[in-house]
């Protein structure tokens, strides 16, 4: 009989986290500490009251809180502390490499420049890498429910900032905002040497996944749950080795699925899809990457080999160089 899976620091497989929104790692105690330090009023009396509000009915109900809470992030130091805390926590949970999403438009609309945001994140990447060995990079995301011109301005400001950014992504409210709207922005990012990803098929239809692939030319799909409804799309994703960065706890908390046992892990693996496991917005959805993996291991009786396959998928799907990837191969 194969060995039961143990996801622990002692039995560490080299996982890459490829789908984590850095603003979604903002924990209630930090929200209160930052608000207090800045004299900002919060509509909650306590951290417990804030946490109690984390009852979501869909993606939009979560985004409302996510955008409200991130307003406490204002200075470069705030972004440094946010990313440093996440990277330390990820390292403890067995993450060897993280590609962090950030939403510059959510900050520029409050007067905070891309350089302030990226400067803080870059400083954290360097400091925590020295401290723990974890490596990390940044993927800036377009807010798809804001005008296309805002996305163009965001990309320009990121490129002008001179900070190293690995890729461009697409996030926020999905339904009604098809990927094809952003073809021009993605073309420009590709020409600037950025790697491309997009959220698609979380709440939106399989058609949005086709558009992300064929119109935007992305290399990974974030979530992609609804791709499983379309057999021709599943064949395309499998044949072209397009990774899906899936997020089990997020799917439950945003009601993409009813409960963890409905997470399409076996279905996706059996279809030959290169899926990876990620935390999405861990401060909001009940846990970090290792928490997601432990819950999956228990719900689906994963073997050590199952977990090793997920770890290998995450290394293969990462945007690390071939040499960096080799360091993590298992
Ligand atoms: N989905 C889409 N957009 C997001 C998310 C998410 O889970 N988190 C932050 N922005
Ligand atoms: Zn996401």
């Amino acid at each position: 009989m194969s060995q039961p899976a143990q996801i622990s620091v002692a039995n560490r497989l080299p996982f890459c986290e490829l789908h984590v929104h850095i603003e979604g790692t903002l924990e209630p105690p930090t929200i209160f500490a930052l608000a207090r330090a800045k004299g900002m009023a919060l509509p909650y009396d306590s951290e417990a009251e804030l946490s109690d509000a984390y009852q979501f009915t869909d993606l939009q109900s979560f985004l409302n809180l996510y955008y409200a809470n991130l307003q406490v992030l204002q200075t470069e130091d705030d972004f440094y502390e946010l990313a440093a805390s996440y990277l330390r926590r990820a390292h403890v949970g067995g993450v060897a490499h993280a590609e962090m999403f950030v939403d510059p438009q959510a900050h520029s609309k409050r007067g905070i420049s891309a350089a302030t945001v990226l400067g803080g994140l870059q400083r954290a990447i360097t400091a925590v890498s020295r401290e723990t060995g974890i490596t990390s990079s940044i993927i800036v995301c377009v807010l798809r429910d804001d005008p296309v011109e805002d996305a163009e301005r965001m990309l320009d400001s990121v490129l002008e900032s001179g900070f190293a950014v690995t890729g461009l992504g697409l996030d926020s409210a999905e339904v009604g905002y098809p990927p094809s709207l952003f073809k021009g922005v993605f073309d420009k990012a590709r020409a600037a040497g950025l790697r491309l990803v997009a959220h698609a098929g979380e709440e939106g239809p399989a058609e949005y996944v086709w558009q992300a692939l064929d119109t935007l030319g992305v290399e990974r799909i974030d979530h992609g749950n609804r791709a499983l409804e379309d057999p021709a799309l599943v064949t395309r994703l499998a044949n072209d080795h397009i990774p899906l960065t899936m997020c089990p706890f997020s799917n439950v908390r945003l009601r993409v699925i009813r409960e963890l046992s409905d997470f399409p892990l076996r279905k996706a693996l059996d279809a030959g899809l290169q899926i990876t496991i990620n935390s999405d917005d861990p401060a909001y959805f009940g846990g970090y990457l290792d928490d997601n993996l432990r819950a999956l291991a228990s719900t689906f009786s994963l073997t050590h080999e199952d977990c090793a396959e997920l770890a290998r998928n995450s290394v293969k799907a990462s945007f690390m160089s071939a040499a960096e990837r080799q360091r993590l191969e298992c």
Side-chain angles (χ1 to χ4, degrees), residues 53-298:
Y54 291 5
Q55 310 283 342
F56 311 115
T57 51
D58 56 12
L59 175 57
Q60 189 62 58
S61 66
F62 154 70
L63 289 171
N64 293 343
L65 251 153
Y66 168 90
Y67 290 125
N69 288 340
L70 62 73
Q71 306 209 21
V72 298
L73 296 166
Q74 296 182 353
T75 66
E76 194 195 282
D77 275 350
D78 295 343
F79 288 95
Y80 168 81
E81 292 293 345
L82 179 73
S85 300
Y86 160 70
L87 288 169
R88 289 187 188 112
R89 173 63 185 83
H91 167 72
V92 168
V95 175
H97 173 77
E99 295 177 6
M100 304 182 290
F101 292 142
V102 66
D103 288 329
Q105 289 164 258
H107 309 300
S108 62
K109 66 176 74 170
R110 304 181 292 115
I112 295 157
S113 73
T116 297
V117 175
L118 299 177
L121 300 188
Q122 190 54 62
R123 206 150 50 80
I125 289 170
T126 305
V128 182
S129 170
R130 274 201 201 111
E131 203 178 290
T132 67
I134 191 171
T135 59
S136 189
S137 65
I138 301 169
I139 296 176
V140 292
C141 288
V142 164
L143 298 188
R144 68 202 304 163
D145 48 349
D146 278 353
V148 173
E149 306 78 68
D150 291 6
E152 287 164 351
R153 263 195 296 277
M154 182 276 283
L155 179 61
D156 288 345
S157 69
V158 166
L159 296 175
E160 281 160 18
S161 77
F163 285 102
V165 160
T166 299
L168 182 74
L170 182 67
D171 69 5
S172 203
E174 184 181 5
V175 175
Y177 304 98
S180 57
L181 290 171
F182 299 95
K183 176 176 167 39
V185 187
F186 276 68
D187 283 348
K188 185 164 185 182
R190 182 188 302 101
L194 298 194
R195 313 293 294 265
L196 306 178
V197 301
H199 282 58
E202 181 183 20
E203 287 188 341
E207 167 57 20
Y208 285 15
V209 179
W210 284 110
Q211 284 185 20
L213 296 174
D214 291 337
T215 307
L216 301 188
V218 304
E219 299 171 70
R220 301 194 299 238
I221 296 290
D222 299 312
H223 293 296
N225 299 60
R226 294 196 59 197
L228 294 165
E229 296 168 9
D230 180 340
L233 180 54
V234 170
T235 302
R236 165 77 184 280
L237 293 166
N239 287 349
D240 288 0
H241 307 287
I242 307 282
L244 300 185
T245 66
M246 302 191 86
C247 307
F249 281 7
S250 166
N251 287 169
V252 174
R253 298 296 290 273
L254 300 188
R255 305 199 188 175
V256 170
I257 55 178
R258 228 167 20 93
E259 54 192 14
L260 198 61
S261 58
D262 292 329
F263 183 70
L265 180 80
R266 295 283 180 208
K267 188 175 177 188
L269 289 174
D270 291 348
L273 296 180
Q274 190 186 326
I275 66 163
T276 71
I277 303 303
N278 305 272
S279 67
D280 207 3
D281 298 281
Y284 290 87
F285 299 151
Y288 286 76
L289 176 59
D290 53 315
D291 301 309
N292 276 265
L293 287 168
R294 257 190 305 275
L296 285 185
S298 149

Side-chain angles (χ1 to χ4, degrees), residues 33-50:
L34 287 174
R36 222 174 286 124
K38 295 173 164 67
M40 293 171 72
L42 290 174
Y44 307 95
D45 287 335
S46 66
E47 290 165 26
E49 202 186 305
L50 173 58

Side-chain angles (χ1 to χ4, degrees), residues 13-53:
L13 288 160
F15 275 91
C16 298
E17 174 141 72
L18 307 176
H19 185 159
V20 57
H21 301 263
I22 199 61
E23 299 92 339
T25 70
L26 184 56
E27 296 280 358
T30 314
I31 294 171
F32 270 81
L34 287 174
R36 222 174 286 124
K38 295 173 164 67
M40 293 171 72
L42 290 174
Y44 307 95
D45 287 335
S46 66
E47 290 165 26
E49 202 186 305
L50 173 58
S51 300
D52 285 349

